[in-house]
Amino acid sequence: MVSLPIYLDNLATTRTDPRVVAAMIPFFTEIYGNAASISHRFGWDADEAVKRSRQNLAQALGAHEREIVFTSGATEANNLAIRGVAESLKSRKRHLITTNAEHRAILDPMRRLQREGWSVTYLPCDPSGVVHADQVREAITEETALVSVIYANNEIGTINPISDIGRICHEHKAWFHTDATQAVGKIPVNVVQDQVDLLSFSAHKFYGPKGVGGLYVRRRDPQVRLTPLFDGGGHERGVRSGTLAVPLIVGMAEAVQLATDEMEDEARRVQGLRERLYAGILERLPDTILNGHPTERLPGNLNLSFAGVEGEALMMAMRDVAVSSGSACTSAEPEPSHVLLAIGRNEDQARASLRFGVGRFNTVEEIEFTVRSVVEAVNRLRGQNSRALRDGP
């Protein structure tokens, strides 16, 4: 028996792990002080919990605890990294590099800086979604302040050669930022080995609570200096003012600890479910295209384009399975995914895509149900479209 509906949108967000919820509850009801209150036990206990959480997060990333800045999530962290570096270096460097397959939380700040007079280079990715280090080498100049390349793509799951890109950035004395929102907690991430200077992450992508994330900011060999996005209290060593969300921070630290401890086994199990899903669909549905790198991809990501259907119609036909379409509604009209267009898919293929996000709480039975649902829905929609074309207006 399968409990419906089935959640296969774990790249959009994840269910908070019950163990994480249990770790957070005391900080809502018992240890509820402000971590910045230094005059009483309530504040001391909250501050101690934040310190432990910061240590756990730093250890998971291979960082020092003083290099972790808490934010409301990865979007804020991305903006702090990009705009913080740009503001601090604007008198000396005015060039930025990113890619055309980034999340909007990278592309939008970059475009804003362009409007403010910055020069931005958007590197193309190859047909599998990879941005190669040689492309960065060709684009980087003495004027480059920051390079930002996504660690693992949020739509197609492709993992980029981060350490190779970081090495090139350091050779040219440019800061290197990576949006690791989809990577942290799912694959090994180490800021030293990956040679990154700034790294963004968000708790709700690895079974933690929504509304909290962080930014790794290098403090040694050499130190990255950021101009804050806003002022008011000087929290987080002056980089990010605001009262710390202690329960959420504790939850994020618990979530990353669980993810780190169980990563190898979980990745193997989740990837097995993903491959079962892919094989089941591919076997029964011809004209199905895999989007993204076939092997260098996140364990739980499967992005497919189905010829002869539209992703939105397909999702509507699969009401018992929660997935995402490759199309994003950014205005009154649905627009095809910029990531799928970037890897060479045409608009019809981009609109005919679905992103499946397999996660910790999915089962074999759910995968088998999803295979049947997808096959049935695609065949039905293809039949309807075929009849419409045959019969004409």
Side-chain angles (χ1 to χ4, degrees):
M1 296 292 293
V2 176
S3 178
L4 300 178
I6 294 169
Y7 188 75
L8 279 175
D9 201 15
N10 286 286
L11 296 160
T13 195
T14 57
R15 168 189 168 190
T16 306
D17 193 297
R19 295 170 291 180
V20 172
V21 175
M24 293 168 60
I25 286 175
F27 295 89
F28 286 111
T29 59
E30 300 169 30
I31 313 169
Y32 48 81
N34 188 324
S37 297
I38 60 174
S39 59
H40 51 68
R41 173 63 62 187
F42 292 91
W44 302 337
D45 290 345
D47 181 56
E48 182 59 33
V50 169
K51 287 178 179 177
R52 289 196 304 270
S53 298
R54 202 185 301 272
Q55 290 169 353
N56 289 344
L57 284 157
Q59 184 177 7
L61 298 175
H64 187 274
E65 61 190 83
R66 289 177 61 83
E67 296 176 312
I68 303 299
V69 175
F70 293 120
T71 68
S72 61
T75 294
E76 183 189 343
N78 287 336
N79 275 267
L80 178 58
I82 294 168
R83 295 189 61 81
V85 165
E87 184 67 24
S88 68
L89 295 178
K90 66 181 180 181
S91 63
R92 290 184 285 148
K93 296 184 175 185
R94 303 284 294 185
H95 179 233
L96 306 166
I97 298 174
T98 189
T99 84
N100 62 0
E102 299 291 312
H103 191 279
R104 285 285 300 274
I106 298 294
L107 295 176
D108 285 356
M110 289 286 185
R111 289 166 182 154
R112 178 181 289 272
L113 287 169
Q114 271 188 288
R115 294 193 295 270
E116 295 174 3
W118 283 74
S119 171
V120 181
T121 298
Y122 297 91
L123 300 177
C125 55
D126 71 14
S128 65
V130 175
V131 175
H132 298 278
D134 286 344
Q135 295 174 259
V136 176
R137 188 187 301 278
E138 293 173 4
I140 203 166
T141 73
E142 293 181 357
E143 290 293 310
T144 304
L146 178 74
V147 176
S148 183
V149 176
I150 197 167
Y151 204 118
N153 191 274
N154 56 296
E155 289 196 33
I156 59 176
T158 297
I159 300 169
N160 279 309
I162 295 300
S163 62
D164 293 339
I165 295 172
R167 187 176 305 110
I168 290 169
C169 293
H170 293 161
E171 289 172 0
H172 291 80
K173 294 181 170 43
W175 296 131
F176 179 41
H177 167 255
T178 184
D179 177 359
T181 308
Q182 295 289 351
V184 171
K186 300 172 185 174
I187 58 177
V189 173
N190 184 290
V191 294
V192 176
Q193 295 174 8
D194 293 333
Q195 301 201 41
V196 301
D197 303 302
L198 300 125
L199 180 144
S200 306
F201 55 94
S202 197
H204 75 103
K205 302 294 188 180
F206 48 87
Y207 309 95
K210 297 174 180 63
V212 67
L215 178 67
Y216 157 76
V217 183
R218 180 186 292 276
R219 290 180 55 87
R220 48 194 171 158
D221 305 324
Q223 180 178 355
V224 179
R225 298 189 182 279
L226 298 177
T227 299
L229 293 182
F230 46 84
D231 303 307
H235 304 81
E236 295 297 273
R237 295 176 298 281
V239 176
R240 198 272 186 181
S241 294
T243 300
L244 293 177
V246 178
L248 304 185
I249 289 170
V250 169
M252 178 165 62
E254 179 71 14
V256 84
Q257 185 68 58
L258 291 170
T260 301
D261 292 345
E262 300 170 6
M263 184 177 293
E264 186 174 349
D265 290 341
E266 181 163 300
R268 186 183 306 111
R269 191 188 75 85
V270 168
Q271 184 170 326
L273 292 176
R274 182 198 75 191
E275 291 303 309
R276 188 184 191 103
L277 176 63
Y278 181 40
I281 292 172
L282 197 64
E283 180 182 0
R284 304 177 207 182
L285 288 177
D287 300 320
T288 298
I289 303 172
L290 175 68
N291 298 313
H293 199 284
T295 57
E296 296 301 312
R297 67 188 302 128
L298 293 169
N301 177 285
L302 181 64
N303 191 305
L304 300 174
S305 291
F306 302 92
V309 302
E310 285 195 357
E312 297 290 336
L314 183 52
M315 282 197 302
M316 293 299 292
M318 293 167 39
R319 293 185 179 276
D320 288 327
V321 182
V323 294
S324 294
S325 171
S327 300
C329 291
T330 56
S331 64
E333 295 296 328
E335 296 181 357
S337 161
H338 71 278
V339 174
L340 295 181
L341 295 179
I343 65 173
R345 300 290 178 257
N346 59 41
E347 287 201 12
D348 287 341
Q349 291 170 328
R351 293 181 191 279
S353 69
L354 288 185
R355 181 186 70 173
F356 302 86
V358 183
R360 177 177 297 173
F361 300 108
N362 290 124
T363 66
V364 170
E365 291 76 17
E366 290 177 334
I367 296 301
E368 291 300 322
F369 181 93
T370 300
V371 169
R372 294 192 297 271
S373 297
V374 172
V375 171
E376 178 184 342
V378 170
N379 282 331
R380 184 169 68 252
L381 290 171
R382 284 176 174 174
Q384 292 172 358
N385 293 337
S386 177
R387 287 191 296 273
L389 288 173
R390 184 181 65 245
D391 298 339

